[in-house]
Amino acid sequence: MELFTRVREGIENIQPYVPGLSDDELKEKYGLQEVIKLNANENALGPSKLALEAIAKELPFLHHYPDGSSEILRHAIANFHGVSTENVFVGNGSDDIIKLISETFLEDGDEIVVPHPSFSQYEFGAQIMRAKVVRVPLKADFTYDVDALLGAVTEQTKLLYVCSPNNPTGTILKHSELETLARRLPKHVILIVDLAYNDYTDEPTRAVEAPEILADERTVFLHTFSKLYGLAGLRVGYGIANASVWSWVNRVREPFNVNRVAQRAAVAALEDEAHRENSRHLAEQSFHFYKTACAELGLECVHSEANFILIKTSNGVETMKSMMTRGVMVRAGFAGLAEYIRVTYGTEEENRRCLEALVAALGLERVSG
Ligand SMILES: *Cc1c(COP(=O)(O)O)cnc(C)c1O
C-alpha cells in the first residue's frame, strides 16, 4: 500500500495479528444463539470473585492515573513468589513484556532462538526490531530438544525463549533441561522462560523458578494473570528476573503501562486461593475427559500439562471450521501442526458439547470425502 512517506525497514514483512472470529461475529455468521469459546486458552470459570470486588471498588477513581511503578502489585507478586519487589516487572499482559524486552535488547543483525511450534509473540518481538528468528523444532513427541536449542546459538544470539508448558503443544520443559540451558548458554544470551501455564501443572519434573537460576542475571521468568487467574481482558502479566535486567527494560516502558483496575484486580486475584484451586481442578478433570474420549474415538491427543489439548484430526483447519458451524470455537492452523486442533478446556458442559461438535465434524468429513 502506497503511503505519503516510507515505513521503517522491516515493517512490510510483518503481518498484523489476526485473531479468530469473536463469538459475536460467529453467532452472526452462522445464525447461532450461543457460542462456546474454546480458542484462546481463557479460563472457563471466569475471573476470581475477589478480583471482581476489587475492580468495583476501584471504578470511582478512574479519573486518576495509575501508580506508574505498580508498587503494591509488584510487592504482592514478590511476596507470592518469595522474591524481592525489585525482581518483579509488570506489563500490560506478558505480551507487553516480551515486546519491551525485544525493544531493549534487539537490533538489526541480532538473532533470537525460539522453539517451534511455540508462542508467536516471541517472533513478533524480533520482527519489529529486525532481528533474525532462528526456529528450533521440538522433537517428534513435542518435547524440547535442548541440544538443538543450544546448537542454534551464535555470536549474534541475544534471546533464547522456552515456553513451559508450551503453547500450543502443552508439553513441558524439564527442570533438569532448564538447568542445562542456564549453565551452558553463553554469557551474551538472555534466557526467557515463559511460564504462562505453569500454574496448571504439578508434574514433578517440570521447570520452575529456582533461587540459583534467579541469581543469574541472564534468566527471565514470565507469568500472566490471563490464564489461571481468568483476567485476560484486563491485561496484566509479570516477569521475575535479576533487578539489573529490569533496570534496562524499564527505560522503554510506557509510564502507565498497567492500568489502575488491572493492578487492583491482580492483587486481589493473588489472594484467591479457592479460584486458583478450582481452575486447576477443572483443567485436570478436562484433561482426563478429552484423553478418555480420544482413546474411545481412536483419536490421538498430546499429553498436556496446560489448560488446553492438541487433538489430531485429518485436517485441523477443516475440523475447526466445521466445529464453528456447530457453535464451538477451537483453534487450528498452527505452523507445522496442520492435522491438529487446539481445544481450550471449558466447563464440564462445554467440554461435552465440544466433543459432540468434534465427533459430528469428523463424521461429516468422512461422509464428504
Ligand atoms: C496466553 C499466553 C501468554 C499471556 O499473554 P498475556 O499478554 O499476558 O495475556 C504468554 N505466553 C504464552 C505462551 C501464552 O500462551
Side-chain angles (χ1 to χ4, degrees):
M1 183 171 42
E2 287 297 322
L3 196 62
F4 55 88
T5 191
R6 212 164 49 80
V7 298
R8 192 163 56 83
E9 206 153 327
I11 300 293
E12 303 95 320
N13 304 329
I14 302 177
Q15 295 305 317
Y17 182 82
V18 184
L21 291 182
S22 75
D23 33 2
D24 284 337
E25 287 165 332
L26 191 67
K27 277 182 207 166
E28 167 128 7
K29 184 165 177 188
Y30 295 111
L32 300 161
Q33 295 295 316
E34 203 192 343
V35 158
I36 300 178
K37 192 169 181 307
L38 304 175
N39 61 351
N41 300 345
E42 295 151 333
N43 190 326
L45 297 181
S48 133
K49 293 281 182 300
L50 296 187
L52 291 179
E53 283 166 25
I55 289 167
K57 278 199 202 134
E58 195 57 24
L59 295 181
F61 303 104
L62 285 184
H63 58 303
H64 287 308
Y65 281 98
D67 167 14
S69 58
S70 301
E71 198 66 30
I72 295 173
L73 173 57
R74 286 172 50 238
H75 184 71
I77 292 167
N79 277 345
F80 187 77
H81 283 268
V83 298
S84 308
T85 307
E86 61 172 19
N87 295 128
V88 180
F89 183 94
V90 295
N92 186 38
S94 40
D95 288 355
D96 184 29
I97 306 178
I98 292 166
K99 184 160 179 261
L100 291 172
I101 291 175
S102 306
E103 288 168 341
T104 306
F105 293 102
L106 298 178
E107 58 193 326
D108 196 359
D110 287 342
E111 298 177 6
I112 72 164
V113 174
V114 294
H116 189 73
S118 189
F119 192 45
S120 61
Q121 288 303 302
Y122 314 144
E123 301 195 8
F124 167 72
Q127 281 176 340
I128 56 171
M129 300 314 294
R130 302 188 61 203
K132 183 179 153 198
V133 175
V134 178
R135 291 177 169 181
V136 175
L138 298 171
K139 291 182 186 165
D141 62 356
F142 302 125
T143 58
Y144 278 91
D145 188 339
V146 171
D147 287 333
L149 284 169
L150 286 165
V153 171
T154 70
E155 281 297 316
Q156 279 67 51
T157 309
K158 284 276 188 66
L159 310 175
L160 186 148
Y161 285 93
V162 283
C163 181
S164 176
N166 184 46
N167 179 10
T169 57
T171 42
I172 56 162
L173 178 77
K174 292 196 182 108
H175 195 69
S176 56
E177 294 171 329
L178 173 59
E179 287 175 327
T180 303
L181 282 171
R183 197 175 56 243
R184 287 182 42 201
L185 268 181
K187 296 278 180 243
H188 62 277
V189 183
I190 298 178
L191 171 60
I192 301 175
V193 186
D194 187 345
L195 299 178
Y197 301 97
N198 208 38
D199 309 295
Y200 283 103
T201 169
D202 51 9
E203 159 58 45
T205 61
R206 75 190 186 282
V208 291
E209 279 149 357
E212 64 277 11
I213 296 176
L214 255 186
D216 187 328
E217 279 189 14
R218 300 163 306 133
T219 309
V220 175
F221 294 93
L222 295 180
H223 297 264
T224 180
F225 283 92
S226 298
K227 310 290 155 63
L228 188 80
Y229 293 94
L231 296 176
L234 272 186
R235 315 303 301 125
V236 207
Y238 60 98
I240 296 183
N242 192 288
S244 63
V245 173
W246 302 134
S247 73
W248 295 109
V249 177
N250 223 3
R251 296 172 194 229
V252 298
R253 178 174 71 80
E254 285 181 31
F256 305 106
N257 66 328
V258 181
N259 72 72
R260 292 188 76 94
V261 175
Q263 290 186 33
R264 292 292 167 157
V267 170
L270 274 180
E271 286 162 11
D272 199 342
E273 181 58 35
H275 179 263
R276 253 202 313 277
E277 263 320 302
N278 292 338
S279 305
R280 275 196 204 102
H281 182 68
L282 179 63
E284 199 178 320
Q285 257 187 338
S286 303
F287 173 65
H288 287 294
F289 172 79
Y290 284 107
K291 193 179 154 183
T292 309
C294 285
E296 283 168 10
L297 294 166
L299 294 173
E300 268 178 55
C301 61
V302 178
H303 184 96
S304 173
E305 295 288 340
N307 69 337
F308 56 82
I309 187 165
L310 274 186
I311 298 174
K312 193 172 187 177
T313 70
S314 47
N315 179 328
V317 170
E318 288 307 312
T319 308
M320 172 184 75
K321 285 182 182 162
S322 173
M323 290 175 76
M324 261 192 199
T325 66
R326 298 173 165 84
V328 178
M329 302 169 79
V330 298
R331 192 124 178 226
F334 299 99
L337 295 171
E339 296 176 297
Y340 290 87
I341 56 170
R342 188 195 67 190
V343 179
T344 303
Y345 299 149
T347 60
E348 229 175 296
E349 164 74 12
E350 288 171 336
N351 289 338
R352 246 195 320 273
R353 294 188 36 200
C354 172
L355 188 68
E356 280 168 22
L358 175 61
V359 167
L362 294 178
L364 277 184
E365 274 183 0
R366 244 177 268 134
V367 171
S368 66

